[in-house]
Amino acid sequence: HWEFASLISTVDRSLLRIKKQLISVISLCKERGLLHSAKASELAFALDPLPKDELPPSPPFTEEDAHDLDALTLAKSYFDLKEYDRAAYFLKGCCSQKAYFLYMYSRYLSGEKKKDDETVDSLGPLEKGQVRNEALRELRVELSKKHTAGELDSFTLYLYGVVLRKLDLLKEAVDVFVEAIHALPLHWGAWLELSNLVTSIEMLKSLSLPDCWIKDFFKAHMYTELQMIKEALQKYESLIKAGFSKSTYIISQIAVAYHNIRDIDQALALFNELRVQDPYRIDNMDTFSNLLYVKSMKPELSYLAHNLVEIDKYRVETCCVIGNYYSLRSQHEKAALYFQRALKLNPRCLGAWTLMGHEYMEMKNTSAAIQAYRHAIEVNKRDYRAWYGLGQTYEILKMPFYCLYYYRKAHQLRPNDSRMLVALGESYEKLSQQVEAKKCYWRAYSVGDVEKMALLKLAKLHEQLNESDDAAQCYMLYSQDIFSCGEQLEHAEVSTALRYLGQYYFKNKLYDEASLCAQRCCDYNDAREEGKALLRQISQVRDQIETPSADLFAPLSNNTPVRRVSPLNLISFTP
């Protein structure tokens, strides 16, 4: 009992320390106009309030801070009004670290605002346009000098990293973000920027990061981004147990993780819980709308769209939700219009680019779809949906070598997604690389075929290659799969499988099994006549041989008829 009480008090003390750190960093970010303090505030709100005597003290005030106080207060008020040039003007010549950061940050945001305005004014969202933030090069030169002299604090290091990333100096940006994180481990903005530059688990492991509790949040976020969902969920579960059980941030991240592995029911349940806890939340609602779209839940999607319009109709997420709503109603032009609106609000919105690509695909506008998907990849090279979408567009254009390249990229990002594997198999088949196609189809079946297509395609490929035993085995597995899943799939070609199996058993003189397949064929309009013809053939030779009947669609076992004809070895097709 004493040990347990001691453990509880240790946990309480560590949560108290974390709460103090969060309150301090929120204050530091707010003073500098950094919006990432919102996430820290969400985490702080999930923890118990601090007693008055435990509240962290204000940061020390230097002589330079006192000297710059009036200019900083004035500039910050202009900054809050988004008058960035005006803010920068009044901060010129200030010496304190806080004032210098706000001076440089105002110049950066001024350049970003002008760039976005120019993008919206002069270009449609699908035109490439070399619009750049003109302030970036000047900022880099100035910050580089200070960096070499060792005069940058954690926040200015973070800004230097952002400038380098925008100039595509990615290796230098990673080093600077790591330095910024070491200088102030609790600045979530620096962790987030770093996450956008980590491209693999090997790169993540190679980073030298400070040993701080927020590192677990970063790792969980990275695992989700790198499609390592099992590891991400374990991390979030441990964070909930550590004391963050009330955190809406964690609930939203777990919901996104379930969305990524297509566990739609779990994700929907979590998003609904999130809506109860935080009804005016707009963050992640575009992901929620994707789930409602996949489930064809029109009334719920309509309600969500109306609700978000009431909260804020000019948020990117709101536009994406409305776009999804119109797409579900097959009004693809209207849907594309709302995704364009989302991109005018934020040209770096990954989801909007990808979804707009899908809409152009529906409208048979392949060139626009290709451009949209390419923009999505520019924003985030880890977006498997954009790579997959590009593969589909080139498939429509009958360019299988291009398809293969893009489907491979999608498969690398989602190695256990059967849809990528089936698409790869189809591309290999079109390029007459049958062995590779077989490997892909069999792997798609092995990892859990979402659309129940892999076995059917594998069986047809075996049939084309006159590999009758293997074709029969695949058709049998396919039929069992379709019957065991209960729901009748739109594309299910059970009649094709039964027709083939009937003929296969007949040729191998297994007349009872052939008869069973022929009878099943009679249940399907497209196979009825062939089924009747086969039954007539069987009745003519029935007296020649007798074989024990078997339930064809029972799970495979050693006495399955096909085993007696020829033991089949599909393991050789496993890559």
Side-chain angles (χ1 to χ4, degrees), residues 265-544:
D265 295 330
Q266 276 272 34
L268 280 173
L270 283 164
F271 273 120
N272 284 321
E273 184 188 329
L274 195 61
R275 296 266 293 157
V276 170
Q277 287 190 32
D278 192 356
Y280 292 94
R281 182 190 185 93
I282 295 181
D283 286 355
N284 308 114
M285 286 302 114
D286 48 341
T287 308
F288 183 31
S289 76
N290 291 343
L291 295 162
L292 296 173
Y293 179 91
V294 170
K295 293 283 273 187
S296 298
M297 297 167 79
K298 259 188 206 172
E300 291 84 349
L301 189 49
S302 171
Y303 175 75
L304 179 67
H306 281 95
N307 186 232
L308 294 185
V309 166
E310 281 176 21
I311 298 168
D312 186 352
K313 63 154 70 166
Y314 295 113
R315 271 285 289 268
V316 172
E317 294 88 343
T318 305
C319 294
C320 288
V321 171
I322 298 168
N324 270 337
Y325 171 66
Y326 281 121
S327 182
L328 190 56
R329 292 183 59 178
S330 299
Q331 293 176 258
H332 300 297
E333 289 85 356
K334 259 190 172 178
L337 195 69
Y338 273 95
F339 294 134
Q340 283 180 353
R341 188 175 289 181
L343 290 164
K344 284 189 175 182
L345 292 167
N346 178 9
R348 289 189 62 79
C349 176
L350 171 68
W353 282 119
T354 310
L355 292 167
M356 192 156 70
H358 297 343
E359 293 313 307
Y360 282 125
M361 283 279 282
E362 293 287 347
M363 291 150 65
K364 305 285 187 286
N365 186 347
T366 47
S367 61
I370 286 168
Q371 280 186 296
Y373 289 135
R374 286 194 190 286
H375 274 288
I377 288 163
E378 277 173 31
V379 174
N380 184 355
K381 286 185 170 61
R382 292 194 300 263
D383 182 28
Y384 76 93
R385 294 169 306 168
W387 291 109
Y388 184 63
L390 276 170
Q392 286 180 309
T393 49
Y394 283 110
E395 198 172 326
I396 289 168
L397 295 169
K398 295 187 169 51
M399 298 168 79
F401 277 109
Y402 280 69
C403 290
L404 194 59
Y405 173 77
Y406 292 116
Y407 285 145
R408 266 187 191 151
K409 287 280 191 185
H411 170 58
Q412 283 163 10
L413 293 165
R414 299 271 289 190
N416 292 326
D417 193 321
S418 62
R419 294 167 303 159
M420 314 300 147
L421 284 158
V422 169
L424 259 181
E426 287 173 336
S427 298
Y428 279 124
E429 217 178 317
K430 282 170 188 161
L431 294 165
S432 302
Q433 296 184 33
Q434 276 87 358
V435 175
E436 296 299 322
K438 285 181 198 174
K439 285 180 183 177
C440 289
Y441 291 143
W442 183 251
R443 174 90 177 125
Y445 169 66
S446 305
V447 298
D449 187 11
V450 178
E451 293 171 337
K452 310 280 183 214
M453 289 288 284
L455 278 174
L456 181 65
K457 290 185 178 295
L458 183 56
K460 287 180 175 178
L461 185 54
H462 283 310
E463 195 180 337
Q464 283 168 27
L465 298 169
N466 296 319
E467 298 165 356
S468 56
D469 287 351
D470 293 340
Q473 178 79 326
C474 291
Y475 275 131
M476 184 183 289
L477 286 168
Y478 171 70
S479 304
Q480 288 172 0
D481 238 20
I482 296 296
F483 285 121
S484 66
C485 80
E487 53 185 297
Q488 196 59 40
L489 299 165
E490 280 178 36
H491 62 256
E493 292 187 38
V494 180
S495 58
T496 308
L498 291 170
R499 268 200 302 253
Y500 184 86
L501 286 168
Q503 292 295 339
Y504 172 79
Y505 286 126
F506 183 74
K507 280 176 195 162
N508 286 287
K509 299 187 174 142
L510 294 164
Y511 299 118
D512 281 4
E513 288 79 2
S515 177
L516 181 57
C517 289
Q519 286 164 20
R520 289 280 183 97
C521 278
C522 295
D523 297 339
Y524 299 90
N525 292 333
D526 58 340
R528 188 168 294 141
E529 292 308 315
E530 286 184 47
K532 285 177 182 175
L534 184 56
L535 282 170
R536 283 195 294 273
Q537 280 179 285
I538 292 166
S539 66
Q540 287 166 15
V541 292
R542 193 74 174 183
D543 54 335
Q544 292 176 21

Side-chain angles (χ1 to χ4, degrees), residues 166-179:
K166 291 274 184 180
L167 290 168
D168 288 328
L169 300 166
L170 304 184
K171 192 175 179 301
E172 294 95 319
V174 169
D175 295 340
V176 170
F177 283 130
V178 169
E179 198 182 331

Side-chain angles (χ1 to χ4, degrees), residues 44-262:
F45 184 74
L47 301 173
D48 293 333
L50 289 177
K52 187 185 170 190
D53 55 334
E54 291 283 356
L55 288 171
S58 299
F61 214 64
T62 66
E63 194 64 47
E64 288 173 336
D65 289 329
H67 180 267
D68 295 342
L69 182 62
D70 292 337
L72 186 61
T73 308
L74 178 66
K76 182 66 170 67
S77 63
Y78 293 143
F79 181 93
D80 292 339
L81 293 166
K82 294 192 165 78
E83 296 183 26
Y84 302 122
D85 288 328
R86 201 173 176 195
Y89 175 79
F90 284 99
L91 286 167
K92 201 167 188 179
C94 289
C95 304
S96 67
Q97 289 277 21
K98 205 184 295 181
Y100 180 70
F101 171 80
L102 200 62
Y103 168 62
M104 298 301 272
Y105 192 41
S106 297
R107 287 170 62 191
Y108 164 75
L109 287 178
S110 167
E112 284 295 291
K113 189 169 183 291
K114 284 166 189 165
K115 181 193 80 170
D116 288 347
D117 289 348
E118 200 178 325
T119 305
V120 171
D121 292 343
S122 62
L123 300 166
L126 286 176
E127 291 178 57
K128 176 76 175 159
Q130 290 298 316
V131 182
R132 277 193 169 277
N133 179 345
E134 296 300 332
L136 291 176
R137 285 194 175 83
E138 285 176 32
L139 290 170
R140 186 203 165 199
V141 170
E142 291 176 42
L143 288 167
S144 175
K145 284 176 187 168
K146 291 248 183 191
H147 183 236
T148 308
E151 293 173 13
L152 298 184
D153 71 349
S154 59
F155 289 106
T156 328
L157 278 168
Y158 156 75
L159 179 60
Y160 183 36
V162 171
V163 169
L164 290 170
R165 180 177 71 77
K166 291 274 184 180
L167 290 168
D168 288 328
L169 300 166
L170 304 184
K171 192 175 179 301
E172 294 95 319
V174 169
D175 295 340
V176 170
F177 283 130
V178 169
E179 198 182 331
I181 287 165
H182 276 281
L184 181 64
L186 289 174
H187 182 207
W188 182 239
W191 292 95
L192 266 187
E193 285 290 344
L194 180 62
S195 77
N196 290 328
L197 300 173
V198 176
T199 51
S200 65
I201 187 66
E202 291 75 27
M203 185 178 172
L204 178 63
K205 285 176 181 171
S206 71
L207 293 174
S208 165
L209 298 169
D211 198 16
C212 170
W213 59 267
I214 204 163
K215 184 178 174 182
D216 285 331
F217 281 89
F218 172 71
K219 278 191 169 177
H221 176 78
M222 276 316 312
Y223 290 149
T224 308
E225 287 289 304
L226 295 168
Q227 304 299 327
M228 297 167 65
I229 305 301
K230 189 181 168 191
E231 291 85 347
L233 290 171
Q234 284 171 350
K235 271 277 179 225
Y236 284 126
E237 207 58 52
S238 65
L239 287 167
I240 285 171
K241 285 176 184 166
F244 288 99
S245 56
K246 296 177 194 166
S247 168
T248 51
Y249 168 74
I250 290 181
I251 294 171
S252 69
Q253 290 304 105
I254 294 173
V256 168
Y258 278 123
H259 163 268
N260 286 1
I261 52 168
R262 295 175 71 82

Side-chain angles (χ1 to χ4, degrees), residues 3-17:
E3 282 179 10
F4 183 70
S6 168
L7 181 68
I8 293 291
S9 66
T10 306
V11 170
D12 285 347
R13 278 199 303 276
S14 65
L15 287 176
L16 196 73
R17 179 174 54 82

